[in-house]
């Protein structure tokens, strides 16, 4: 495909996306087709000869799009949102067009340097502690996801806990990781991957009201492990748990980690973005205790997946844990010690130029635009929560400090599951569920920049209409 | 950014990329600026208010592009190539525009189903063994990189070797991994991550002529470990090593793995793409022994990073090793067992719709177009190798079955390093180096679809001119 063919086809694809966004609201949020529908409509074998882009776009419309759940739809309220934006697409498109590799500083210097600057910009936007800035001993890097950030933090913690012996000699299975019972599943996955097994995670009791980790229970677990000859290596605290956006008390947890010399990783995958608003920074109190921290601009900061922003207070420790240096990667810049080689900050070797999408997003929106987006989400969630609160048949299952509302009917689990199935079945909205205190609970998470009051109001109308039917005697 | 603003700015970015590609050849392949140049030209803080896309594109031209090593440049011969193409960009752009998450089948069904079909298409294109196809017990998945594929394969191997105990109880440090001394650094990294430590890797001697793993040495290492009470868990064999594209003898290695019940992972990150050509499939002889296999369409198959194609012969085993199921991801489709949830095939939870770029590439080029691309690279490398062979001052350091040529001057290491620095200093080409049998060796890897005979000839002219100067008495 030569540059002129690309130009022509590229304009067509840009138009296709603009039209998709403009018509998104008219589509069902999620498909109703059974498994295998899309696969069955595709040829079983690849073509032998060249096919034009138009043919692919036609099949995109006919086969693929009808089989999608539309995460950018204004009625999408599932999981945590993963919203993107025009500037993010454009930045990522430039990254694709440049097609450079930023594994080493030397392999394409601007790729590394823009990333370092963008991570410092983000640190300023969130008012993160100075220890995470690249001007000191810390620094930030883009990971694909918070799962990978947790894995990398765990590896660095094990390296530190072992006095560096872990790297060559392997893991001591007595190491233990601690997180709230509401910590994300990626914590168990990370700990399993590092060789501690799922049993290496100590799930710590949460307060039944706030759903936040109980520091006293954490201390008790640490003491019990120490008494049993186990070695506490890492605590993963969460700002904005996946089920309910509960906030673990970092000041108390951090003090415990400091006392026992345990690595503190703070996972703010979803809620970290809220810290761009000064009035929401209370959620990050105590972050100065953290050894590492991450949040996902690809969740609530208008940046397309994949973009997890991960910081460490001591970049030297991280690099020492992960580096392997084969001859074919040796170069004068790396050996000078004057540059960052981000390959040593992550699991993969290769890395695309993801800082570009952040650059486009941060400049297009500016700090003010980002704050407006977060405030809109918080206000829409509050508006929805007010509806729930005002209807005696419903109850809120948890606080809603950010843009997620957890709620349920005063009814049994099956009735609540049926309520979810019915509103999702309308194709107008898509919500997901969790369990709070063992009880089936619906989740409504606002995130799309297209979501306005009328979409949240429609969700509520659909819910109450379904409830009317379900609760009819 | 509303759809119409996006349309306008999107056309501008498409044009920017088309112009970049059209003028790529006129740019220096790599920058000469010292570390910090790009960072110093960027503002220290993010903007408060919105800035237009035009301002960002202007800074892209003024600040970022001059600081890049241009991996898509026709004179880029470094590392392994990581070439993209117009259709890959367009497919990835659609993926960005849709912004869906394919972590579960239920989270956006077409995302999973298109990926399964594309992996089966690729398996047909490469004529991979039936055991990797989704119609049987196997299946394919897109990973970000071969590093992650190696990690995931190692985890599945440990799960199998432990009879499933690894998952909860953690790793037995007696497990051992085996790879050639020329195996990629990501193997040591993966083994370290799993908790075996770098000492868990047994580097196996290679044949001094073919640079391929010596099966007898592998068997001896396994026997020695067994005698010492260690437990052989995985062998990673390579088709196309990073230094020289050596090919480990899979038929012999596979038979050893079968005899001892050891997981065989085959890393064909770069050279796997060659198997789209029937005349190059000899390189994959013995692949029927493999438990897992990967190659990178993002290296030599015109697909943008990140796109590693990874297959397993037993998908159930892989899922069992990696799954963790929190309530908020439970859904009827997963529980039916009738769908694939790719989150359980990888380290991260989230995943973007990467199958789209493969779909666009495979349809635009067709099998014939892909074969033509591979054949062009092989022919250009052979052309360059002929030049080396014909000049008595130079020697080939290894065979060149694919599109990489390893060569050096009959001179000491410093002279060869100086030769590399001088040709790269012209800004017309970019080569990297390795060591073969301990000696400094230059690598010229052909990959860009823009690279033609004249670019390879120019590289040779620059090398001989530099050699003239260097060898002058």
């Amino acid at each position: 495909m030569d540059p002129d063919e690309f130009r022509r086809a590229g304009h067509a694809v840009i138009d296709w996306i603009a039209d998709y966004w403009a018509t998104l609201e008219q589509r069902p949020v999620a498909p109703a087709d059974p498994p295998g529908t899309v696969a069955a409509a595709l040829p079983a074998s690849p073509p032998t000869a060249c096919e034009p882009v138009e043919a692919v776009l036609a099949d995109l419309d006919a086969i693929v799009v009808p089989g999608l759940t539309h995460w950018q739809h204004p009625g999408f309220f599932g999981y945590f949102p993963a919203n993107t934006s025009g500037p993010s697409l454009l930045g990522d498109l430039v990254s694709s067009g440049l097609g450079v590799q930023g594994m080493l500083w030397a392999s394409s210097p601007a790729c590394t340097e823009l990333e370092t600057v963008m991570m410092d910009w983000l640190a300023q936007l969130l008012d993160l502690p100075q220890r995470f800035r690249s001007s000191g001993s810390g620094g930030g890097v883009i990971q694909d996801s918070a799962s990978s950030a947790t894995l990398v933090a765990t590896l660095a913690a094990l390296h530190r806990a072992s006095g560096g012996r872990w790297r060559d000699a392997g893991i001591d299975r007595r190491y233990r990781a601690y997180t709230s019972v509401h910590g994300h599943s990626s914590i168990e996955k990370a700990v399993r991957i590092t060789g501690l097994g799922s049993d290496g995670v100590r799930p710590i009791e949460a307060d039944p009201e706030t759903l936040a980790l109980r520091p006293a229970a954490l201390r008790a677990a640490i003491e019990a492990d120490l008494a049993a000859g186990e070695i506490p290596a890492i605590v993963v605290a969460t700002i904005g748990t996946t089920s309910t956006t509960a906030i673990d008390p970092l000041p108390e947890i951090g003090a415990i980690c400091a006392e026992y010399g345990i690595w503190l990783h703070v996972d703010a995958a979803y809620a970290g973005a809220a810290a761009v608003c000064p009035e929401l920074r209370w959620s990050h109190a105590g972050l100065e205790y953290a050894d590492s921290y991450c949040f996902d601009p690809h969740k609530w900061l208008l940046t397309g997946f994949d973009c997890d922003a991960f910081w460490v207070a001591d970049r030297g420790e991280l690099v020492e844990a992960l580096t392997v240096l084969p001859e074919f990667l040796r170069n004068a810049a790396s050996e000078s010690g004057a540059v960052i080689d981000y390959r040593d900050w992550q699991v993969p070797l290769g890395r695309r130029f993801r800082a570009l999408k952040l650059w486009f997003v941060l400049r297009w929106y500016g700090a003010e635009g980002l704050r407006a987006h977060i405030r809109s989400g918080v206000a829409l969630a509050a508006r929805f929560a007010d509806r729930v609160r005002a209807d005696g048949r419903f109850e809120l299952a948890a606080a809603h400090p950010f843009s997620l509302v957890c709620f349920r009917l005063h009814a049994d689990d099956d009735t609540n599951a049926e309520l979810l199935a019915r509103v999702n079945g309308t194709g107008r909205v898509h919500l997901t569920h969790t369990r709070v205190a063992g009880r089936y609970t619906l989740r409504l998470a606002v995130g799309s920049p297209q979501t306005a009051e009328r979409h949240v109001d429609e969700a509520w109308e659909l819910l109450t209409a379904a409830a009317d039917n379900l609760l009819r005697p």
Side-chain angles (χ1 to χ4, degrees), chain A:
Chain A
M1 188 181 278
D2 70 29
D4 282 331
E5 287 172 312
F6 173 75
R7 192 186 308 266
R8 195 184 47 76
H11 287 189
V13 170
I14 290 287
D15 291 343
W16 187 92
I17 293 170
D19 293 341
Y20 171 76
W21 286 353
T23 56
L24 203 39
E25 191 168 352
Q26 302 153 31
R27 299 172 193 268
V29 190
D33 297 322
T37 305
V38 174
L42 294 163
S45 300
T48 301
C50 173
E51 295 186 71
V53 170
E54 291 71 20
V56 187
L57 289 177
D59 285 347
L60 183 64
D61 280 317
I63 300 170
V64 174
V65 171
L68 292 173
T69 298
H70 300 285
W71 282 60
Q72 308 304 312
H73 193 293
F76 182 90
F77 300 113
Y79 309 100
F80 276 136
N83 287 109
T84 188
S85 64
S88 175
L89 259 77
L90 300 179
D92 211 31
L93 176 56
V94 170
S95 168
S96 296
L98 295 173
V100 303
Q101 277 290 332
M103 54 197 188
L104 304 167
W105 177 87
S107 67
S108 211
C111 183
T112 293
E113 295 195 16
L114 185 67
E115 184 161 333
T116 304
V117 174
M118 286 308 100
M119 295 302 291
D120 282 338
W121 279 19
L122 274 181
Q124 290 174 59
L125 279 168
L126 273 66
D127 195 29
L128 298 184
Q130 284 295 334
R131 61 201 313 232
F132 293 132
R133 316 283 173 97
S134 71
S135 51
S137 60
V141 62
I142 301 174
Q143 305 278 347
D144 59 1
S145 65
S147 298
S148 296
T150 299
L151 174 57
V152 162
T154 304
L155 296 169
L158 292 168
H159 185 62
R160 180 199 284 179
S162 71
R165 285 184 303 278
W166 159 88
R167 199 173 76 161
D168 292 328
I171 203 165
D172 184 329
R173 278 198 298 189
R174 293 175 301 163
Y175 292 125
R176 290 291 170 263
Y178 305 80
T179 192
S180 150
V181 289
H182 300 300
H184 194 268
S185 51
S186 57
I187 301 163
E188 179 181 335
K189 193 164 177 174
V191 170
R192 187 191 295 171
I193 289 169
T194 65
L196 289 177
S198 291
D199 295 347
V201 181
R202 297 284 187 241
I204 306 298
E205 183 190 334
D207 181 280
E209 280 305 306
T210 64
L211 304 170
L213 181 145
R214 285 190 54 234
L218 173 63
R219 180 184 292 278
I222 291 169
E223 287 288 350
D225 279 339
L226 287 170
E230 316 287 7
I231 309 166
I234 184 170
V235 172
V236 182
T238 310
I239 301 175
T241 58
T242 309
S243 273
T244 66
T245 64
I247 301 161
D248 290 338
L250 291 190
E252 292 83 354
I253 295 170
I256 292 171
C257 289
E259 182 183 337
Y260 291 94
I262 304 172
W263 185 290
L264 174 59
H265 175 62
V266 176
D267 174 3
Y270 159 71
V276 300
C277 296
E279 73 274 21
L280 292 170
R281 287 192 189 137
W282 57 268
S283 60
H284 282 55
L287 189 59
E288 63 277 7
Y289 284 109
D291 295 286
S292 54
Y293 167 81
C294 81
F295 88 103
D296 291 344
H298 69 233
K299 282 199 168 72
W300 197 18
L301 211 64
L302 299 162
T303 308
F305 190 88
D306 49 357
C307 186
D308 169 83
F310 172 69
W311 286 268
V312 285
D314 182 348
R315 60 177 180 264
E317 209 165 24
L318 176 65
V319 168
E320 204 175 82
L322 293 180
T323 196
V324 181
L325 183 56
E327 182 66 28
F328 53 79
L329 297 178
R330 283 186 189 274
N331 67 88
S334 297
E335 277 158 33
S336 77
V339 299
I340 286 175
D341 291 328
Y342 277 127
R343 73 183 186 95
D344 294 328
W345 297 50
Q346 63 178 22
V347 172
L349 170 58
R351 54 202 327 273
R352 75 189 253 119
F353 197 169
R354 291 178 291 202
L356 281 171
K357 61 186 172 189
L358 268 178
W359 195 41
F360 275 65
V361 166
L362 299 183
R363 293 185 66 177
W364 169 267
Y365 286 99
E368 288 172 356
L370 299 173
R371 288 180 192 130
H373 174 64
I374 296 293
R375 286 170 183 150
S376 159
V378 172
L380 289 171
R383 180 184 178 93
F384 180 82
D386 284 344
R387 301 282 185 281
V388 175
R389 219 177 264 115
D391 188 324
R393 299 172 300 173
F394 286 87
E395 65 177 341
L396 292 171
H400 54 93
F402 306 111
S403 76
L404 171 74
V405 182
C406 295
F407 65 99
R408 63 186 156 226
L409 275 174
H410 290 295
D412 61 19
D413 286 354
D414 289 348
T415 306
N416 275 288
E418 179 61 21
L419 176 68
L420 178 68
R422 290 198 188 179
V423 296
N424 283 354
T426 66
R428 297 297 307 154
V429 295
H430 192 79
L431 283 69
T432 55
H433 83 285
T434 188
R435 279 180 189 272
V436 179
R439 293 172 59 196
Y440 194 98
T441 301
L442 283 73
R443 297 168 74 265
L444 180 138
V446 180
S448 167
Q450 289 201 32
T451 301
E453 291 185 351
R454 63 191 162 86
H455 301 105
V456 168
D457 291 349
E458 183 182 4
W460 178 246
E461 283 152 26
L462 293 168
L463 283 159
T464 49
D468 288 344
N469 272 308
L470 273 170
L471 301 179
R472 188 171 294 160

